[in-house]
Amino acid sequence: MELALGLAALGVVLGCGAMLLSAPRGAFNSRWWWVILPLVAAGTVIGFGERVLTAGVIGANIGAGLVILLGGPAVVGLVLGAVVQALMIRRSEAAGAALARRHSPGNQDIIPR
């Protein structure tokens, strides 16, 4: 069951990546990669951490402590960085859209002379 779920998740990730890479020019803002990649890295850290935490060998408690000590703050930092970057991108996109509306040729908000 785990193998099937892992392969399905890998297929979804590869399919989404192929869609992003094959998007027409200008359809995908490349600044969003700075949001996607830290989230992928956080998922990778969580996946490897889960593997270490559930290892059934002697000495796994040392690895589990290291995963919690190092992996936890790394995941929090990656997710917070992605959220901050996403908010910055959204704000700049909203400002750009407002500026485009303001200076559109059909806009009637022009001050008369």
Side-chain angles (χ1 to χ4, degrees):
M1 183 67 170
E2 286 180 21
L3 179 61
L5 287 174
L7 290 174
L10 179 63
V12 168
V13 167
L14 291 176
C16 290
M19 284 176 44
L20 284 173
L21 292 175
S22 67
R25 190 156 187 80
F28 178 71
N29 188 345
S30 62
R31 291 184 298 168
W32 283 101
W33 284 112
W34 291 103
V35 176
I36 295 170
L37 293 178
L39 294 177
V40 169
T44 304
V45 170
I46 290 171
F48 283 125
E50 186 271 337
R51 181 71 177 139
V52 170
L53 288 171
T54 59
V57 296
I58 296 174
N61 57 350
I62 295 171
L66 285 174
V67 165
I68 292 170
L69 184 67
L70 300 176
V75 168
V76 169
L78 287 167
V79 171
L80 284 177
V83 167
V84 167
Q85 184 67 26
L87 292 174
M88 289 173 46
I89 292 170
R90 293 283 297 190
R91 187 173 63 184
S92 69
E93 286 178 351
L99 186 63
R101 274 193 316 271
R102 187 173 179 196
H103 294 293
S104 65
N107 193 352
Q108 300 298 322
D109 294 338
I110 299 174
I111 300 172
R113 293 184 200 183

